[in-house]
Amino acid sequence: MSAPKRNIGDEMRGITRKALERGKLDRAAVRKVTGEVRKRLLQIERVFAQDLRVAARAGKDAAAQSMSATLVSGAIAARIASGMLAGIADSLARGTARRTARRRR
């Protein structure tokens, strides 16, 4: 069974307290704590980099979905506008045809 991890802050507190009480710094203890800090920072860095990759993938997927939805809604809007313009053109053509038919009478 492994020993429980000590808090680095508690370790530094102990080193500092001993240094002040004894008037001498325990360099080996400082090196040990410093080594634990580098190890923990590397672990944190790895987790952070992994989280960034996951977030980037999620962002890419969300952007792709958003772009797809934008294209679909744009196509629908274009069909609506096309239908409106066609209806206007039909109405204008009928109006022109009616006016022409009235003139011929």
Side-chain angles (χ1 to χ4, degrees), residues 21-82:
E21 289 171 358
R22 298 178 186 166
K24 184 178 178 189
L25 181 64
D26 183 352
R27 293 176 193 265
V30 171
R31 276 193 292 277
K32 179 183 171 202
V33 170
T34 304
E36 278 298 311
V37 169
R38 284 189 192 104
K39 287 178 192 173
R40 290 184 190 182
L41 286 176
L42 285 174
Q43 291 170 349
I44 291 169
E45 181 182 4
R46 285 185 191 118
V47 170
F48 182 68
Q50 181 180 1
D51 288 347
L52 282 177
R53 283 191 294 274
V54 169
R57 265 187 247 120
K60 262 185 175 176
D61 292 344
Q65 289 175 355
S66 177
M67 182 61 82
S68 178
T70 300
L71 291 173
V72 168
S73 63
I76 291 170
R79 285 188 212 132
I80 291 169
S82 173

